């Protein structure tokens, strides 16, 4: 099911910080990038991962998970966000009142393209959702009028007239016959319903990618800072011990 596919995709993202880079003589293989257009459209590139997990009885390790694209790896996200954050903090010292938005702006600068694309997919999905109710209304009107070709919507009649202009072929006679237009409306209704479902799935997938990118970037930055704290404390204690004692009071 789609929920299981999303589950394994999220597991792959959460394991990004634990994956080791491949050997130099072995090029990295990202399943999504090497998948065909149809496989990307229906998330079929996740199917081998699901079969492998089922064959292992759920006992999977990081080596069994899908390899992530470089843009989704926590190391890349942490480095990019840290660079933008350092630059924005230097600029924020000269711009009072905007320092609180530095981290959010750094995350936005790194991931704004994927976020905007996901929102564009959501907009298309909302527009596609308006079509099935309208088509269903036109189909009921057509059935109530006795399934006559004249009762079909005007856009359908104009489309058929443009395609079958001065043509007497069998397909054109079928399109102009009574009772055939209802089947066409049903097909178009199914197409828009499937399109809205696909757009919703791709919107959710990319929205989750944006959220996991930001989460992994913040986690990577916090982890890097925790590694520097003991080192700084050690340097501070060594410098204080090596400094000469203060002179005695007179």
């Amino acid at each position: 099911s789609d929920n299981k596919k999303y589950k394994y995709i999220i597991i792959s993202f959460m394991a990004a910080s634990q994956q080791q880079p491949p050997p130099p003589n072995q090029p990295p293989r990202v399943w999504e990038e090497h998948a065909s257009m149809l496989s990307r459209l229906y998330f079929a590139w996740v199917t081998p991962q699901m079969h492998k997990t089922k064959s292992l009885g759920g006992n999977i390790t990081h080596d069994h998970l899908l390899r992530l694209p470089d843009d989704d790896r926590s190391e890349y996200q942490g480095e990019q966000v840290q660079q933008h954050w350092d630059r924005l903090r230097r600029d924020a010292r000269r711009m009072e009142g905007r320092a609180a938005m530095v981290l959010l702006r750094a995350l936005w600068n790194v991931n704004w393209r994927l976020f905007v694309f996901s929102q564009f997919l959501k907009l298309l999905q909302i527009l596609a959702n308006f079509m099935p109710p309208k088509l269903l209304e036109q189909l009921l009107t057509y059935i109530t009028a006795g399934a006559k070709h004249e009762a079909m919507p005007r856009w359908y009649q104009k489309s058929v007239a443009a395609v079958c202009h001065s043509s007497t072929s069998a397909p054109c006679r079928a399109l102009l016959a009574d009772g055939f237009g209802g089947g066409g409306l049903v097909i178009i209704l199914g197409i828009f319903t499937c399109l809205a479902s696909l757009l919703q799935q791709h919107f959710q997938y990319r929205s989750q990618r944006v959220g996991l990118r930001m989460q992994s970037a913040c986690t990577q930055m916090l982890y890097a800072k925790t590694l520097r704290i003991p080192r700084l404390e050690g340097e501070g204690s060594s410098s204080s011990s090596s400094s000469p004692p203060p002179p005695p009071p007179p």
Side-chain angles (χ1 to χ4, degrees):
S1 61
D2 294 335
N3 292 332
K4 290 184 178 180
K5 290 185 178 180
Y6 288 132
K7 177 182 177 181
Y8 290 118
I9 294 172
I10 293 174
I11 290 175
S12 299
F13 273 98
M14 297 303 294
S17 60
Q18 304 294 332
Q19 291 181 346
Q20 299 296 327
N25 56 352
Q26 180 183 355
R29 177 176 175 83
V30 181
W31 289 16
E32 183 179 7
E33 295 180 354
H34 290 80
S36 63
M37 185 61 67
L38 189 62
S39 179
R40 293 185 184 185
L41 185 63
Y42 292 101
F43 297 100
W45 54 273
V46 193
T47 304
Q49 175 70 67
M50 301 176 67
H51 288 319
K52 181 185 294 185
T53 305
K54 182 179 180 181
S55 63
L56 295 174
N59 299 322
I60 59 176
T61 63
H62 297 135
D63 297 332
H64 298 138
L65 297 177
L66 302 177
R67 181 165 294 279
L68 293 174
D70 292 337
D71 293 347
D72 295 328
R73 296 180 66 85
S74 58
E75 295 87 354
Y76 174 83
Q77 287 292 318
E79 293 174 0
Q80 293 296 315
V81 174
Q82 184 69 52
Q83 292 177 6
H84 284 277
W85 191 27
D86 294 338
R87 178 179 57 82
L88 291 172
R89 280 196 306 172
R90 291 192 298 268
D91 297 339
R93 294 190 182 98
R94 300 190 300 268
M95 303 168 63
E96 297 181 358
R98 300 180 64 179
M101 302 294 293
V102 169
L103 180 58
L104 183 59
R105 289 170 59 194
L107 293 170
W108 167 260
N109 290 341
V110 177
N111 299 294
W112 69 270
R113 292 180 180 85
L114 184 59
F115 176 79
V116 171
F117 183 63
S118 66
Q119 299 307 309
F120 176 71
L121 293 177
K122 183 61 177 179
L123 176 62
L124 293 180
Q125 185 259 334
I126 293 174
L127 295 177
N129 279 336
F130 281 106
M131 296 304 299
K134 187 65 176 178
L135 291 172
L136 184 59
E137 178 184 357
Q138 295 175 350
L139 179 61
L140 293 176
T141 303
Y142 172 76
I143 295 174
T144 305
K148 300 293 184 179
H149 179 73
E150 293 75 11
M152 289 294 294
R154 183 170 298 179
W155 61 266
Y156 180 86
Q157 296 183 21
K158 290 184 177 180
S159 301
V160 172
V163 172
C164 299
H165 180 65
S166 66
S167 177
T168 59
S169 60
C172 288
R173 290 198 304 269
L175 291 173
L176 295 172
D178 295 337
F180 185 84
L185 288 178
V186 171
I187 293 174
I188 298 174
L189 176 63
I191 290 174
F192 274 99
T193 303
C194 295
L195 179 62
S197 177
L198 284 176
L199 290 172
Q200 176 66 20
Q201 293 178 18
H202 283 273
F203 161 72
Q204 291 180 350
Y205 169 59
R206 283 161 177 81
S207 298
Q208 291 175 0
R209 283 182 67 180
V210 172
L212 290 172
R213 281 184 178 186
M214 294 182 177
Q215 179 182 352
S216 61
C218 294
T219 304
Q220 181 77 8
M221 293 168 62
L222 287 173
Y223 180 69
K225 290 183 181 297
T226 55
L227 293 180
R228 287 198 297 265
I229 290 176
R231 184 181 60 187
L232 295 176
E233 290 180 350
E235 292 177 357
S237 60
S238 61
S239 62
S240 60
S241 60
S242 60
S243 59

